[in-house]
C-alpha cells in the first residue's frame, strides 16, 4: 500500500504562489498552440511533405500524454516542485533545439521534449492542495486548471504577430525565455510540497502505460492520413487494447502502482475522468474551427488576417481566466458538481448559438466568450472533484491522469473534426477549402460531446460544499494529526498540543 509521509514545510505559502504556478501552466499551454499560425506552411519551412510535417504536432501530443501521469506520480514520490522544475527545464531544452533548426528530425525531437512539460498542470494543482489554506484553494486550483486554455488562447494572437513579422524560429526563442522565467519564479517563490507517497516508482507500469498510449493516440492522430480502415490503423488500435488490458492486470497486482486502478474505478473519479474527455473534445472544436473560419477568404470564411483571427479567439482564454474567481464562489456555495453541470450547459448554449453566428468577426468573439466561460467553469471543477475523491498522497498521479483524459479528448476531437472538415470541403484550384457546412457539423459534434458530459456529470455523487472543503484539506489535517501525535509522545509538563478545534491543551503526562 502507498502511505503518506509529511516533511515539515519550510514556511507558509506566500501570496505569489498562485500567480507563479498559473504562469507556469500558461507557459506550458503556449507550447501546444505555438505552431497554429504556421501549420499550413510547415511543409515548406521544413522542406518536407505534409504527411511528415504533421509529426511535428503529433510528437508533442504523444510525449505530453505519456509524461503527464508519470510526472504526477514522480511528484508524489519525490516532490512536486522538483518535478515541476524538471518538466519546465526539459521544455526549455526542447524549445532551444527547435529554435536552432529547420531539420525535420531535429524539430520533432525538440517538440517531443516540449511535450514533457504537460505534467506541470497536475503538479501545480497538487502543490496548491498541499501548501495553500482552504480559503484560497478553490480559486487557485480553478486558475491552474484553466491555465491550459488561457495559455492556448493568449498564444494565438502573440504567435500570429511574431510569425507574420519575424522569422518563425523566434517563437521558440520566446517560449524558451518564458520557460526560464517560470523556473526562476518557481524556485524563488513556490515551497516544496510537505506531502510524500512512500514506495518506489512503478517502472513496468510506466512503460506499459506509455506503450498503450502511443499505440492508441498514434492512429487517432494519423488515421486520416493512413485511412481509418487501413490495416495499420486497425492493427494499432487492437494492439493498444491488448496492451491496456495486460497493463491493467499488472497494475492490480503491484503494491504501489503508477495508477491506482481501484481508486480510479470509484464512481466519482471514473465519471469525472470520462466527463473530462468530453470537455476536452468541446474545447478543441472551437480552437480548430474559429481560426479557420476567420482566415478563409470571403465566400468561404470571413477574410481576416492571421493576427485579427488570433485576437478574435483570444477572449476564449481570457474568459477562462476571469471565470476562476466566479467558480470559487459558486463552488463554495453549491459544490464542484453543480459548477461542472453549469459549465457544460453554458458550453452547449455557446455552440448552439454559434451555429448561427458565423457571418461576422464580432460574432465569433461572442461565441468565444460564452464557450470560454463554460469551459472555464468545467475545467475549474475537475481538479476539485478528483482531489475530493483521492488520498492526499495520490493527488499528483490522480490529477495527471485527469489531465491525460482531457488530452485524449482534444486528440479525438482533432481527428474527428479534421475528418469532417476534409469530407465536407470544396476543391478550389486544386486546393481543399473547408465549408460553413463542415464548421456547423463540427459545432454539432461538440454539442453532442457536451450532452454526453452533462449526462455523466448528473450521475456524480452529490456532496455538500462543507464536506468537499473538509476533504480538500485532507493533507493539512494529516499534518495536524501527526503534530498532535508527536507532541503527545514527547509529553512533559511544558508541552502543549492543539486539540481538535486547534486550541492548545495540556499534553498527557507519562507516569
Amino acid at each position: 500500500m502507498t502511505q503518506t509521509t509529511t516533511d515539515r514545510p519550510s514556511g507558509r505559502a506566500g501570496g505569489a504562489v498562485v500567480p507563479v504556478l498559473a504562469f507556469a501552466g500558461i507557459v506550458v499551454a503556449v507550447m501546444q498552440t505555438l505552431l497554429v499560425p504556421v501549420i499550413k506552411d510547415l511543409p515548406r519551412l521544413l522542406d518536407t511533405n505534409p504527411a511528415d510535417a504533421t509529426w511535428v504536432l503529433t510528437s508533442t501530443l504523444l510525449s505530453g500524454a505519456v509524461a503527464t501521469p508519470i510526472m504526477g506520480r514522480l511528484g508524489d514520490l519525490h516532490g512536486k516542485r522538483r518535478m515541476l522544475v524538471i518538466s519546465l527545464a526539459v521544455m526549455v531544452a526542447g524549445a532551444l533545439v527547435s529554435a536552432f533548426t529547420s531539420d525535420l528530425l531535429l524539430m520533432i525531437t525538440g517538440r517531443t521534449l516540449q511535450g514533457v512539460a504537460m505534467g506541470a498542470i497536475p503538479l501545480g494543482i497538487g502543490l496548491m492542495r498541499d501548501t495553500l489554506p482552504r480559503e484560497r484553494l478553490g480559486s487557485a486550483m480553478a486558475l491552474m486548471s484553466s491555465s491550459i486554455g488561457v495559455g492556448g488562447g493568449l498564444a494565438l494572437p502573440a504567435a500570429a504577430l511574431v510569425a507574420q513579422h519575424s522569422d518563425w524560429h523566434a517563437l521558440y526563442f520566446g517560449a524558451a525565455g518564458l520557460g526560464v522565467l517560470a523556473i526562476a519564479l518557481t524556485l524563488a517563490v513556490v515551497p516544496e510540497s510537505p506531502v510524500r507517497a512512500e514506495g518506489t516508482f512503478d517502472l513496468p507500469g510506466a512503460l506499459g502505460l506509455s506503450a498503450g498510449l502511443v499505440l492508441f493516440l498514434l492512429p487517432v492522430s494519423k488515421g486520416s492520413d493512413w485511412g481509418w480502415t487501413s490495416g495499420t490503423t486497425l492493427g494499432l488500435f487492437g494492439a493498444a487494447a491488448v496492451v491496456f488490458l495486460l497493463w491493467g492486470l499488472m497494475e492490480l497486482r503491484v503494491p504501489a502502482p503508477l495508477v491506482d486502478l481501484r481508486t480510479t474505478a470509484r464512481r466519482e473519479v471514473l465519471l469525472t475522468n470520462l466527463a473530462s474527455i468530453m470537455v476536452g473534445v468541446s474545447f478543441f472544436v472551437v480552437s480548430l474551427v474559429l481560426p479557420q473560419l476567420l482566415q478563409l477568404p470571403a465566400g468561404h470564411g470571413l477574410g481576416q488576417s492571421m493576427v485579427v483571427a488570433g485576437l478574435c479567439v483570444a477572449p476564449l482564454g481570457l474568459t477562462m481566466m476571469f471565470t476562476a474567481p466566479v467558480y470559487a464562489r459558486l463552488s463554495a456555495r453549491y459544490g464542484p458538481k453543480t459548477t461542472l453541470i453549469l459549465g457544460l450547459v453554458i458550453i452547449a448554449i455557446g455552440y448552439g448559438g454559434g451555429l448561427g453566428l458565423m457571418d461576422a468577426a464580432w460574432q465569433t468573439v461572442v461565441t468565444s466568450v460564452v464557450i470560454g466561460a463554460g469551459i472555464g467553469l468545467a475545467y475549474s471543477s475537475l481538479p476539485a472533484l478528483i482531489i475530493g475523491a483521492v488520498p492526499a498522497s495520490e493527488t499528483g498521479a490522480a490529477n495527471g491522469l485527469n489531465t491525460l483524459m482531457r488530452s485524449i479528448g482534444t486528440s479525438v476531437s482533432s481527428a474527428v473534426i479534421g475528418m469532417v472538415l476534409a469530407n465536407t470541403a470544396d476543391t478550389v484550384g486544386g486546393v481543399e477549402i473547408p465549408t460553413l457546412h463542415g464548421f456547423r457539423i463540427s459545432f454539432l459534434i461538440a454539442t453532442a460531446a457536451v450532452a454526453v458530459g452533462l449526462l455523466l456529470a448528473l450521475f456524480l455523487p452529490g456532496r455538500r460544499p462543507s464536506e468537499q472543503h473538509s476533504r480538500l484539506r485532507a493533507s493539512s489535517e494529516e499534518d495536524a494529526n501527526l503534530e498532535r501525535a508527536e507532541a503527545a509522545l514527547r509529553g512533559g509538563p511544558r508541552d502543549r498540543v492543539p486539540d481538535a478545534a486547534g486550541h492548545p491543551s495540556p499534553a498527557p503526562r507519562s507516569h
Side-chain angles (χ1 to χ4, degrees), residues 28 32 46 66 114 146 153 156 165 176 182 199 207 223 254 326 329 337 342 350 352 397 402 457 471 511:
V28 169
Q32 307 303 306
L46 298 175
V66 168
Q114 292 159 38
S146 299
L156 284 173
H165 298 288
L207 294 174
V254 175
V326 177
R329 291 177 178 236
K337 173 185 174 179
L342 178 61
N402 184 254
R471 296 200 66 170
H511 299 286

Side-chain angles (χ1 to χ4, degrees), residues 66 70 201-213 243 247 250 258:
V66 168
I70 291 175
F201 181 69
D202 179 18
L203 181 59
L207 294 174
L209 178 61
S210 300
L213 287 172
V243 169
W247 171 77
M250 178 180 68
L258 177 72

Side-chain angles (χ1 to χ4, degrees), residues 30 41 49 77 84 104 113 116 136 223 273 297 307 317 344 347 409 428 436 439 443 462 479:
V30 164
D41 299 320
N49 58 67
L77 288 169
L84 172 61
L104 177 63
L113 293 174
V116 173
R136 295 176 56 197
N273 282 331
V307 174
L344 290 167
I347 297 171
V428 179
L436 282 175
F439 292 146
F443 271 30
D479 281 351

Side-chain angles (χ1 to χ4, degrees), residues 85 144 217 371 430:
V85 170
M144 190 70 197
L217 291 175
I371 294 177

Side-chain angles (χ1 to χ4, degrees), residues 16-154:
V17 168
V18 174
V20 166
L21 288 175
F23 175 71
I26 289 171
V27 170
V28 169
V30 164
M31 301 306 302
Q32 307 303 306
T33 54
L34 197 64
L35 283 183
V36 169
V38 296
I39 283 177
K40 63 181 184 301
D41 299 320
L42 280 179
R44 174 179 59 82
L45 295 171
L46 298 175
D47 191 25
T48 187
N49 58 67
D52 288 341
T54 59
W55 283 104
V56 175
L57 304 176
T58 303
S59 59
T60 310
L61 163 72
L62 294 177
S63 63
V66 168
T68 299
I70 291 175
M71 296 304 285
R73 177 59 180 165
L74 287 172
D76 288 338
L77 288 169
H78 303 297
K80 298 180 180 71
R81 186 184 77 151
R82 178 182 300 172
M83 301 316 300
L84 172 61
V85 170
I86 290 175
S87 296
L88 292 170
V90 174
M91 186 203 79
V92 169
L96 291 175
V97 169
S98 298
F100 284 106
T101 187
S102 294
D103 178 78
L104 177 63
L105 289 178
L106 284 175
M107 182 63 66
I108 291 173
T109 300
R111 291 289 293 170
T112 300
L113 293 174
Q114 292 159 38
V116 173
M118 279 302 294
I121 307 293
L123 289 169
I125 292 171
L127 277 166
M128 287 174 174
R129 182 213 169 125
D130 296 345
T131 60
L132 294 178
R134 184 185 68 180
E135 60 271 15
R136 295 176 56 197
L137 193 54
S139 59
M141 289 196 309
L143 182 59
M144 190 70 197
S145 182
S146 299
S147 64
I148 192 167
V150 174
L154 297 180

